């Protein structure tokens, strides 16, 4: 069975290089294969994202300016796990409401995404939200979110845009292709009908998040 292997090498020394508003940077030293190695690591709180699907098989997307990326990206609603003690599912419900004025009655875990495992501790849990409804009141939004567009987009359109290289957000790409696999199955063509894939329980362990390792 193909699977990543959880288990970090012990950190032998660390040096804080930068304290940021969202994440920090550390130099960490560890031993691998008999050699002591020093690497700079972005220490990130992690995040949640929400693949909210309506009865027409459309996903709720937000179109948000991302200065480091150099443009405005189509993304899933998402947010940082930066509230002490907040459960990831509660964070996802909060972010869905704050970014899209939506709530959902059905919740499952879709997948976990390591966005840049070679340099950052960030891992994003992506939830699948169904039985979605509009909230009666709109949230006030600030900074980049103040100009953010929200739109229901058919899953087929998102997959086509992904394969045509017109969208680039890693979390959206991962979630859309996972949902497409759930619709059609995985494996070789003659096995598709017999090998369906499904989302996971909402409380599946979040083992790869740094706080839970």
């Amino acid at each position: 069975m193909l699977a990543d292997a959880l288990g970090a090498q012990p950190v032998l020394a660390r040096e804080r290089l930068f304290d940021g508003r969202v994440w920090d940077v550390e130099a960490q030293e560890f031993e691998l294969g008999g050699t002591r190695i020093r690497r700079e690591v972005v220490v990130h709180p992690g995040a949640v994202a929400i693949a909210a699907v309506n009865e027409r098989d459309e996903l709720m997307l937000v179109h948000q300016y991302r200065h480091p990326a150099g443009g405005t990206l189509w993304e899933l609603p998402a947010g940082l796990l930066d509230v002490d003690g907040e459960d990831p599912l509660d964070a996802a419900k909060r972010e869905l409401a704050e970014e899209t004025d939506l709530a959902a009655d059905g919740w499952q875990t879709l997948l976990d995404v390591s966005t840049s495992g070679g340099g950052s501790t960030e891992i994003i849990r992506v939830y699948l939200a169904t039985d979605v409804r509009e909230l009666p009141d709109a949230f006030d939004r600030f900074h980049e979110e103040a100009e953010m567009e929200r739109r229901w987009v058919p899953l087929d359109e998102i997959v086509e845009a992904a394969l045509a290289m017109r969208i680039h957000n890693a979390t959206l790409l991962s979630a859309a292709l996972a949902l497409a696999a759930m619709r059609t199955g995985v494996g070789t063509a003659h096995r598709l009908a017999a090998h369906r894939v499904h989302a996971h329980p909402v409380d599946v362990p979040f083992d790869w998040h740094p706080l839970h390792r």
Side-chain angles (χ1 to χ4, degrees), residues 53-137:
V53 182
N54 65 15
E55 67 280 359
R56 297 181 299 276
D57 211 28
E58 298 171 328
L59 267 70
M60 171 55 70
L61 303 186
V62 295
H63 201 209
Q64 186 169 357
Y65 178 67
R66 294 300 195 185
H67 192 74
T72 307
L73 302 181
W74 286 104
E75 302 179 357
L76 298 175
L80 295 169
L81 290 171
D82 56 356
V83 177
D84 288 342
E86 185 176 33
D87 180 79
L89 177 60
D90 291 337
K93 293 178 178 180
R94 174 176 54 80
E95 291 292 345
L96 181 64
E98 291 179 358
E99 292 199 353
T100 67
D101 303 320
L102 294 175
D105 293 326
W107 289 88
Q108 294 174 282
T109 299
L110 184 60
L111 72 170
D112 293 337
V113 181
S114 173
T115 55
S116 183
S120 173
T121 65
E122 181 183 25
I123 190 158
I124 300 178
R125 168 143 292 186
V126 184
Y127 289 98
L128 175 62
T130 54
D131 298 325
V132 180
R133 64 184 188 279
E134 294 275 348
L135 292 171
D137 300 313

Side-chain angles (χ1 to χ4, degrees), residues 1-6 191 195 200 208:
M1 180 179 66
L2 185 69
D4 294 335
L6 181 62
R191 293 173 54 211
H195 193 184
H200 304 276
W208 284 81

